[in-house]
Amino acid sequence: MEELLQKIESYQLEITAATAVNAEEAEAFRIKYLGTKGIVKAVMGEMKNVPNEKKKEFGLTLNAFKQLAEEKYEQLKQNAGTGSSTKKEAIDFSLPGDDIQLGNRHPLNIVRNQIVSIFGRLGFAVAEGPEIEDDWHNFGAMNLPEDHPARDMQDTFYINDPAVTGGAAWLLRTHTSSVQARVMEKQKPPIRVICPGRVYRNETISARAHCFFHQVEGLYIDKNVSFADLKQTLYFFVQEMFGKDVKVRFRPSYFPFTEPSAEMDISCLICKGDGCPVCKHTGWVEILGSGMVHPKVLANFNIDADTFTGFAFGMGIERITQLKYRVNDLRLYSQNDIRFLKQFSGAL
Ligand code: PHE
């Protein structure tokens, strides 16, 4: 008992004399005296060895000891923050804080959302489908049977070789027409959808081509849908997208899934039609393919071509973004260079 009291006394002297020049030293003090394996706990543990008649007196001594350690710790902590020692490395709360960087949307997403919003105002709903497709939805249903030479228009990544596996061919979709096929499969006309999404083609990556890119395709099937509707819809789209001054022209073209087919050009926004490298000095840039849905495609989905007609179109989001924001290299879109991406902050 005597011995214990002496020990406490010497600890008290130690505590009174203790100093701390920084937060770490104050913490070391706390651990030594007040931690779960600290001296105060250990001394408290001695209580059980104290004879009953002395317990009350000893309890008071212990409490005072504990209080002393706690008060000292509070004091050390405070001094550590404001002390004058050169060793201190306290936090300087007067320094300006670190900027919290705000992220922003990717340019392709910004343009995708704009396209979706413009067609949304015309009553087009968004439809989505899988990026890994079967041969039928990507090609067959779109009037591109096996061995059709037009398959060469879209170099394809095949996932399996049906000749080897004996099953159906799986591939990475080459256009979002596959989503149109899935919509026609499930829904009866009237159909009015746009299909935004990523597509893949087996291309060598360069400033002008990439092995994946993004499309928005559209499909409108109803009674009395005409080529005039197609023209007016697409004209409305480019005016909303690029402004009222933009001119359009349609050139006859070929797609197996539309007849007649046309590609649409807009007047070059960079040189205003005078001729520049972007428009290859023609004053015009191609932005989409379109046409009246081929009767064979309608027949593939049991849609009566005598009652219903429709138009379809497809455009690359990269191309629209290039014209809108003057991006001259396709690779920039997927390099994740923050200096490129930051230029689009503020846009929604
Ligand atoms: N699917 C075509 C392509 O990816 C684009 C297109 C869609 C053309 C609809 C005409 C009609 O090249």
Side-chain angles (χ1 to χ4, degrees), residues 154 174-177 180 201 215 217-218 255 257-258 262 289-291 312-315:
Q154 303 181 353
T174 58
H175 51 185
T176 56
S177 301
Q180 302 184 355
R201 292 189 196 173
Q215 280 191 325
E217 295 216 352
F255 298 101
F257 29 87
T258 49
S290 64
F313 56 88
M315 66 184 94

Side-chain angles (χ1 to χ4, degrees), residues 51 56 66 90 103 160 180 216 264 279 297-298 305 310-311 327 329 336-337 341:
K56 191 171 173 202
K66 186 178 174 205
N160 63 352
Q180 302 184 355
V216 177
M264 190 174 87
C279 61
V297 174
L298 295 176
F311 67 75
V327 179
D329 189 330
N336 272 344
D337 185 332
L341 298 172

Side-chain angles (χ1 to χ4, degrees), residues 194-210:
I194 49 169
C195 315
R198 181 174 284 185
V199 300
Y200 302 82
R201 292 189 196 173
N202 188 5
E203 305 264 0
T204 309
I205 297 171
S206 71
R208 302 175 65 88
H210 209 292

Side-chain angles (χ1 to χ4, degrees), residues 29 34 66-76:
F29 175 92
L34 297 164
K66 186 178 174 205
Q67 210 177 340
L68 177 76
E70 282 171 352
E71 279 170 10
K72 184 70 185 189
Y73 170 58
E74 285 307 317
Q75 192 193 334
L76 291 179

Side-chain angles (χ1 to χ4, degrees), residues 10-52:
S10 73
Y11 284 140
Q12 276 169 333
L13 289 176
E14 238 179 75
I15 290 174
T16 317
T19 56
V21 291
N22 56 30
E24 280 90 70
E25 286 188 21
E27 177 63 5
F29 175 92
R30 188 191 66 77
I31 294 169
K32 180 173 177 193
Y33 290 99
L34 297 164
T36 41
K37 291 184 181 147
I39 288 168
V40 171
K41 265 265 166 68
V43 174
M44 295 266 190
E46 297 288 340
M47 187 67 148
K48 58 182 184 303
N49 304 325
V50 173
N52 274 348

